[in-house]
Amino acid sequence: MATKTLTRGMGTFFKECEHPPSRWSKCPHPYKIRYRDATGRQREEAGYATQDKATTRLTEIYQAKKGPLKTGNTEAQEIAEMRFEDFAARYISNRKRGLESNTIEQYERGLKTQINPRVGSRRVGTFTPE
């Protein structure tokens, strides 16, 4: 199984068959892609009939992982580039007025033990509604 690597961080496409890469265009086996998602886990998808379809899908995933395109709204762009744990800390510190101290402690404890270990290092702009 040989692989072809694209731009760093984009992923790879390959075929799991006995044919050499020079014969892949005539080989009936489907292409597979391997990439890392926004959380850093390695993922694999199969069933791409052509090399172009596999690279198009890798490009879509890569663009979605990079985050939103630059817009004129600088505040939104600033938030999109922040790490989630920094955004959450800023959000809590700005909302302290009107919250009880034990509520703030519960929020901070939940962030520290449950949320930040899983998504704290991700950029806010990489989150999608799904």
Side-chain angles (χ1 to χ4, degrees):
M1 172 185 72
T3 62
K4 295 211 176 181
T5 305
L6 301 172
T7 304
R8 180 174 167 81
M10 196 172 222
T12 58
F13 64 91
F14 59 96
K15 287 190 174 192
E16 287 185 330
C17 64
E18 66 282 349
H19 299 107
S22 61
R23 300 288 300 160
W24 280 358
S25 62
K26 302 201 184 327
C27 171
H29 300 98
Y31 283 91
K32 291 185 174 187
I33 61 171
R34 188 175 293 143
Y35 62 93
R36 293 205 180 268
D37 63 12
T39 62
R41 291 196 173 129
Q42 184 169 302
R43 302 285 185 202
E44 199 170 283
E45 294 179 6
Y48 297 98
T50 65
Q51 180 176 323
D52 289 339
K53 289 181 180 178
T55 55
T56 300
R57 177 65 179 140
L58 281 170
T59 304
E60 290 171 3
I61 293 167
Y62 183 71
Q63 292 298 330
K65 190 168 67 169
K66 276 178 49 178
L69 298 174
K70 303 284 186 201
T71 61
N73 189 344
T74 56
E75 183 180 357
Q77 188 64 34
E78 178 185 331
I79 290 172
E81 292 175 359
M82 290 178 72
R83 291 180 27 220
F84 179 77
E85 61 187 338
D86 298 334
F87 172 76
R90 186 173 103 174
Y91 180 84
I92 289 173
S93 68
N94 289 345
R95 304 299 188 274
K96 280 187 179 177
R97 197 168 129 205
L99 292 178
E100 297 293 327
S101 62
N102 61 347
T103 304
I104 294 169
E105 290 171 6
Q106 287 177 345
Y107 287 171
E108 289 172 345
R109 192 175 321 116
L111 281 167
K112 181 180 178 184
T113 60
Q114 299 292 321
I115 299 171
N116 285 345
R118 296 174 191 213
V119 296
S121 62
R122 285 182 55 192
R123 303 281 177 203
V124 175
T126 62
F127 290 100
T128 61
E130 296 91 36

